Amino acid sequence: MRIDKAEVIVTSPDRNFVTLRLTTDEGHVGLGDATLNGRELAVVAYLKEHVVPLLLGRDPAAIEDIWQFLYRGAYWRRGPVTMAAIAAVDMALWDIKGKAAGMPVYQLLGGASRKGLLAYGHASGKTTDELFDSVRAHLEQGYRAIRIQTGVPGLKAIYGIASQGADAGDADVRYDHEPARRGALPVEEDWDTRAYLRHLPGVFEAVRNEFGPEIPLLHDGHHRMTPIQAAKLGRSLEPYDLFWLEDCTPAENQEALRLVRQHTTTPLAIGEIFNTVWDFKDIIREQLIDYVRGAVTHMGGISPLKKTLDYAAMYQIKSGMHGPTDISPVGMAAAMHLGLAIHNFGIQEYMQHGARTNEVFQQSFTWADGMLHPGDQPGLGVTLDVDEAGKYPYAQAYLPYNRLHDGTMHDW
Ligand code: EZ4
Ligand code: CO
């Protein structure tokens, strides 16, 4: 078998997605997600200019060799643009291998280790009342684990809080699902860590009082704290039994987690912006985290993320793959196949794509009783309707950023 066509398809149904579509001489089509939120076209150029010409004529069965060729052969390793591009190739090749074998990808990865994947959704609200409504809406949708994000008194706008979308008056702005916003420039938000640290424990106390002790609750700190602030937050949240505290400190400084770890038993999750096993190596070996947040799309594909998670398994560290709406349905499918197959699955983030996205990408996964399953179609189980995709041209969109009250840029 040979790869005889490689197309890079950009579409923006509810938001921007970059998809690599490989076709073989035997007519098999493989899809890979290469979406890098807010920097999408850099990956498009990387793929079109430097990867597509290297793929044509190759045997698509040689997944590991092609991965090593693209990673080692470039000399310039790692980084979000490079690794999203390689991830798309890896996913598309697993998709083709599955279709050629007549098997879903999870079977090729060792078969199902469980019936389905526990998934968590994003509840949020500016106020505690709005937050409670959002939690109730998620429970009605069947979610059995919920991330809690809330407004902070004195701050105007915070990432991931639903009601800002309504304020913006723009039906296309899905703040309830995703903070990226279409427009020529990113939106500025404000931040005050001390106000946040004062406010959050009371919110979790209220949520536990209202919804009981059983439901797994999660929280995303979005890289905003110093190590000592993160330690303090982790400790103050201990009575509310979090499933995890995510990205408590900026991810570049992995040693920061040692300090956090010494002070709190709140479980820690990190890694949605990590690209390779090297970003995880020390924090896994030192057991500084409990969950690996890497996404298939941003970690270079199914192959390297499986290796990373197998390594994590030796330390009882589990998966918690990133699953926001900027992971395309193809990237989500890849995560579901991998999560179903590995022994150390923890939880899957699941935000739900919009109706237009689901028309562009037809998907075989199921969502029932709070659990995801990738389905049993050969390959990844996603088809891309190219005509439908063509209706939605690329639209510039950025994540927001934030500044402190004195104007200083802060971590987002
Ligand atoms: O900010 O997906 O845990 N989820 C998150 C997301 C990320 C975006 C970045 O592209 O933190 O909302
Ligand atoms: Co996050």
Side-chain angles (χ1 to χ4, degrees):
M1 217 195 305
R2 297 275 165 245
I3 299 169
D4 68 2
K5 208 160 140 197
E7 302 153 278
V8 182
I9 295 161
V10 181
T11 182
S12 193
D14 299 294
R15 51 168 312 121
N16 294 315
F17 295 113
V18 178
T19 310
L20 177 69
R21 187 173 185 259
L22 302 181
T23 310
T24 73
D25 55 353
E26 293 180 14
H28 292 303
V29 173
L31 298 178
D33 177 24
T35 307
L36 188 62
N37 200 5
R39 295 292 185 273
E40 297 88 355
L41 300 185
V43 190
V44 172
Y46 192 105
L47 281 169
K48 277 192 181 164
E49 307 295 332
H50 302 295
V51 173
V52 165
L54 303 179
L55 290 178
L56 298 175
R58 275 178 199 278
D59 175 5
I63 301 177
E64 181 68 19
D65 182 64
I66 290 176
W67 193 94
Q68 299 294 345
F69 168 65
L70 293 174
Y71 181 76
R72 293 173 199 281
Y75 185 70
W76 308 105
R77 301 178 187 190
R78 310 191 293 169
V81 175
T82 296
M83 299 312 288
I86 298 178
V89 176
D90 183 84
M91 269 181 248
L93 295 178
W94 279 106
D95 195 17
I96 289 169
K97 194 178 281 291
K99 285 171 179 164
M103 286 185 198
V105 167
Y106 76 80
Q107 292 290 6
L108 305 178
L109 298 174
S113 288
R114 57 194 51 77
K115 288 183 265 183
L117 308 173
L118 176 67
Y120 74 91
H122 288 198
S124 67
K126 258 188 177 167
T127 63
T128 305
D129 280 349
E130 283 179 18
L131 175 64
F132 282 8
D133 289 346
S134 178
V135 173
R136 281 188 203 101
H138 279 81
L139 293 172
E140 276 161 27
Q141 286 180 49
Y143 279 103
R144 287 203 243 143
I146 298 184
R147 189 183 88 160
I148 299 291
Q149 303 296 131
T150 169
V152 174
L155 295 182
K156 290 191 289 291
I158 301 178
Y159 124 94
I161 309 296
S163 54
Q164 296 168 86
D167 293 352
D170 179 352
D172 280 333
V173 179
R174 295 183 59 202
Y175 275 101
D176 52 337
H177 295 265
E178 171 51 46
R181 181 164 173 179
R182 285 173 172 158
L185 294 170
V187 171
E188 183 174 305
E189 299 180 345
D190 54 349
W191 185 247
D192 177 343
T193 307
R194 291 187 65 234
Y196 162 75
L197 294 178
R198 283 194 304 274
H199 185 64
L200 197 65
V203 172
F204 271 92
E205 183 180 20
V207 172
R208 279 289 179 220
N209 287 341
E210 182 73 14
F211 297 100
E214 276 178 39
I215 180 138
L217 298 177
L218 304 86
H219 179 71
D220 191 346
H222 231 271
H223 326 278
R224 286 177 164 168
M225 286 163 274
T226 64
I228 203 71
Q229 289 169 334
K232 183 176 175 175
L233 181 68
R235 190 177 271 192
S236 64
L237 293 176
E238 279 171 21
Y240 314 114
D241 188 26
L242 266 62
F243 186 94
W244 77 37
L245 171 61
E246 172 186 347
D247 287 341
C248 60
T249 53
E252 300 96 313
N253 181 10
Q254 305 177 357
E255 287 170 30
L257 295 170
R258 281 190 203 133
L259 189 144
V260 182
R261 202 65 158 167
Q262 281 161 16
H263 289 284
T264 181
T265 57
T266 293
L268 302 177
I270 208 157
E272 71 181 44
I273 66 168
F274 287 6
N275 311 128
T276 70
V277 68
W278 302 102
D279 298 327
F280 280 109
K281 178 175 71 78
D282 295 342
I283 57 178
I284 288 175
R285 199 192 62 240
E286 289 190 45
Q287 305 188 69
L288 300 182
I289 58 169
D290 300 280
Y291 295 93
V292 166
R293 286 285 287 148
V296 176
T297 307
H298 301 131
M299 281 284 291
I302 293 170
S303 307
L305 185 52
K306 181 167 191 309
K307 292 175 192 174
T308 304
L309 290 169
D310 287 345
Y311 170 49
M314 292 195 282
Y315 299 94
Q316 295 173 282
I317 296 170
K318 296 184 177 183
S319 72
M321 286 177 244
H322 197 207
T325 53
D326 49 287
I327 302 291
S328 88
V330 179
M332 284 300 295
M336 289 183 222
H337 285 279
L338 181 55
L340 198 67
I342 55 173
H343 174 252
N344 57 329
F345 170 80
I347 199 165
Q348 175 63 52
E349 185 178 24
Y350 176 48
M351 281 174 81
Q352 305 200 8
H353 288 109
R356 283 175 289 200
T357 299
N358 293 335
E359 274 171 34
V360 172
F361 296 92
Q362 277 119 35
Q363 300 154 66
S364 64
F365 81 92
T366 56
W367 162 243
D369 302 324
M371 309 277 271
L372 292 163
H373 189 287
D376 281 300
Q377 278 181 20
L380 292 173
V382 182
T383 47
L384 175 65
D385 184 330
V386 178
D387 294 333
E388 198 63 24
K391 291 183 189 167
Y392 305 107
Y394 174 77
Q396 191 89 55
Y398 287 109
L399 288 158
Y401 66 98
N402 65 51
R403 290 186 186 275
L404 305 181
H405 292 161
D406 70 357
T408 308
M409 274 291 293
H410 192 65
D411 297 296
W412 188 82

